[in-house]
Amino acid sequence: MSVSTAAADQSVCTPLPVLGRDVTVPLVTGGEVAYAALDYAASAPALQRVWDDVAAYAPYYGSVHRGAGYLSQLSTDLFENARRTVAEFLGCRPADQVIFTRSTTDSLNLLARAVPAGCQVFVFETEHHASLLPWQDARVTYLDAPRTPRQAVETLERALAGRDPYGPALVCVTGASNVTGELWPVRELAAAAHAHGARIVLDAAQLAPHHPVSVTDLDVDWVVFSGHKLYAPFGSGVLAGRADWLQAAEPYLAGGGASRKVTRREDGGVAVEWHETAARHEAGSPNVIGAYAIASACKALTEAGWDTLVAREQHLVRTVREGLAEVPGVRVLSLFGDDAPRVGVISFVVEGWNSSHFAAALSAEYGIGVRDGLFCAHPLVRTLLGSDPETQGECGAPEAAPGEKSLNAIRVSFGAGTPDEHVERFVDAVRELVADGAKWQYRTEDGRCVPAV
């Protein structure tokens, strides 16, 4: 092996420092073990860099906008600089707006409030509920689950060809599935949408933490994501993209910050002039620390280098997929097939196991945190499992006892902070549980399997 190759391999094997990497948890079988956090798709651990930046700023925290004091001015500058950092991270166009929200779900609900009257929205049934459900006030067309990326584009093209050519239209699509991790053909879907006079919003909640996202290169109209999946806690999110629909819409929340001028009318009411900037949809005191945390994470990921981050994650993906392929009775869920490119999100079922039971055993006996359930993507998981909706419990809580047939799936997810040892321990634990069964007794409590004692 050459020196350059060895150096490259070493960089691929180095995770970014995250909080919680030294946490140990007790096992029901006795003793403690270093916790393997493999539920990044739900919430990724905070990068140490993000935590340090926030801690350094915390003593200087102050109210933003209009404050005369030094800390207020400093916080305002930091908040607006965070907006510019996010715009750069997303490759936004000069006229695009960056709005800070609470989450991906909040961002999409904001956009849903801003779509013009009569807008027709096209959504694949494979979307996360955050993308599937906010469009209740629009005319929604739900598209069947495609089985190839090409089929996804063709399905959308057929649906758009039959729409009202004179009315507004919006396509909502994920960048990477929160169930299978598979990458969707975003650039091709955007081209199809624009060819038929429609706009497109990209749900990048599962894409942005794993892969570079450029509004300009992908040619999408809006992009949304959550800070807590991008190694930045504190309940923050982003909606970035075209300003016109957002400027024309009533503010998402009415209140201070969104209003530019408020006067009394002769009839006793009030007249309001709303901002046309991002502030129009950011009423109230903003989550300054959340915005700053997102900006810090954006800088950290950019400085680490996407080529290195992606290469390292693909190494982990191969480790997990190849390991699971060797375990009898394990079926990895996929829409597009084994060769489809994907991020570090993998869902599977184990023959003869209730998924809640399997996940509980991974946690209680091995100190490995994964997720089981329908992952807030009920139609997609049911399609992949071929299950009857009437037999399903709530998201993540099947009404089934240990040992019964699985009604949902198990998801393992990882990213820039995951050590090789964690995914290797996970594969070994799956192999051991399938071969030898659980060492402990479990019972069903509130629809979930938990250790009996």
Side-chain angles (χ1 to χ4, degrees):
M1 179 183 292
S2 68
V3 173
S4 60
T5 303
D9 286 351
Q10 181 63 35
S11 67
V12 165
C13 295
T14 304
L16 297 184
V18 294
L19 296 185
R21 58 190 179 276
D22 299 323
V23 168
T24 61
V25 294
L27 304 179
V28 293
T29 51
E32 293 188 343
V33 67
Y35 183 63
L38 298 179
D39 193 16
Y40 274 46
S43 283
L47 287 172
Q48 185 67 54
R49 154 79 174 272
V50 171
W51 192 259
D52 291 344
D53 284 349
V54 167
Y57 161 64
Y60 301 92
Y61 170 79
S63 62
V64 303
H65 301 143
R66 298 170 303 283
Y70 178 82
L71 297 192
S72 178
Q73 293 181 36
L74 186 149
S75 295
T76 298
D77 188 55
L78 179 143
F79 184 66
E80 294 304 331
N81 277 330
R83 201 187 305 276
R84 287 186 281 273
T85 297
V86 171
E88 182 178 351
F89 178 76
L90 294 174
C92 288
R93 298 157 296 234
D96 285 340
Q97 287 188 348
V98 172
I99 298 173
F100 287 114
T101 66
R102 293 179 298 176
S103 60
T104 301
T105 301
D106 196 37
S107 296
L108 286 167
N109 275 271
L110 191 165
L111 184 60
R113 288 274 300 274
V115 297
C119 185
Q120 188 169 4
V121 178
F122 297 85
V123 188
F124 285 94
E125 68 172 5
T126 47
E127 291 288 317
H128 185 281
H129 292 173
S131 302
L132 199 67
L133 301 181
W135 319 103
Q136 303 302 313
D137 294 332
R139 294 183 297 143
V140 186
T141 299
Y142 295 106
L143 307 177
D144 292 338
R147 286 299 182 170
T148 66
R150 182 64 233 166
Q151 190 180 77
V153 177
E154 292 171 349
T155 298
L156 179 61
E157 288 176 333
R158 284 194 299 270
L160 289 170
R163 82 173 188 89
D164 175 4
Y166 300 105
L170 177 68
V171 176
C172 182
V173 67
T174 187
S177 171
N178 77 303
V179 176
T180 67
E182 292 164 317
L183 298 178
W184 277 62
V186 176
R187 186 178 287 105
E188 292 81 358
L189 291 167
H194 293 152
H196 289 84
R199 299 187 182 188
I200 186 168
V201 55
L202 169 63
D203 176 352
Q206 299 296 340
L207 183 62
H210 304 275
H211 199 278
V213 174
S214 171
V215 170
T216 301
D217 292 347
L218 295 172
D219 196 24
V220 295
D221 298 281
W222 294 277
V223 63
V224 297
F225 70 87
S226 293
H228 70 98
K229 299 183 192 297
L230 195 78
Y231 312 99
F234 307 110
S236 53
V238 166
L239 165 62
R242 295 180 61 158
D244 53 351
W245 284 7
L246 298 171
Q247 290 174 346
E250 288 295 307
Y252 184 47
L253 296 173
S259 56
R260 182 168 54 193
K261 181 180 180 182
V262 180
T263 57
R264 288 294 300 271
R265 297 196 308 256
E266 291 183 0
D267 63 4
V270 294
V272 184
E273 292 182 17
W274 303 106
H275 281 294
E276 294 185 355
T277 62
R280 184 184 189 91
H281 298 290
E282 292 178 343
S285 296
N287 183 354
V288 182
I289 287 181
Y292 184 45
I294 286 182
S296 174
C298 290
K299 290 179 181 178
L301 294 172
T302 301
E303 292 168 7
W306 279 112
D307 288 346
T308 298
L309 294 175
V310 171
R312 183 175 183 282
E313 184 174 302
Q314 290 308 303
H315 161 70
L316 298 180
V317 169
R318 287 191 297 273
T319 298
V320 173
R321 287 179 57 82
E322 291 172 3
L324 292 179
E326 296 174 353
V327 182
V330 171
R331 177 168 72 91
V332 173
L333 305 183
S334 175
L335 268 178
F336 300 154
D338 290 341
D339 296 331
R342 66 196 71 224
V343 299
V345 179
I346 298 168
S347 296
F348 62 100
V349 293
V350 183
E351 184 179 355
W353 280 82
N354 168 274
S355 293
S356 182
H357 184 197
F358 201 90
L362 285 173
S363 174
E365 300 178 26
Y366 297 92
I368 298 171
V370 298
R371 183 158 295 242
D372 66 279
L374 302 175
F375 318 125
C376 292
H378 294 191
L380 172 56
V381 179
R382 287 165 179 160
T383 294
L384 296 173
L385 294 179
S387 60
D388 179 2
E390 297 305 318
T391 65
Q392 298 290 354
E394 295 299 318
C395 182
E399 295 297 334
E404 292 183 4
K405 180 181 178 181
S406 178
L407 300 176
N408 51 27
I410 306 153
R411 185 181 69 190
V412 56
S413 53
F414 40 85
T418 306
D420 289 44
E421 185 273 331
H422 286 186
V423 298
E424 292 164 359
R425 174 149 52 105
F426 164 77
V427 171
D428 290 342
V430 171
R431 185 181 296 114
E432 188 171 301
L433 279 173
V434 171
D436 302 332
K439 301 181 181 69
W440 203 258
Q441 294 296 313
Y442 295 81
R443 60 186 174 84
T444 300
E445 181 178 291
D446 297 329
R448 293 198 58 80
C449 294
V450 297
V453 179

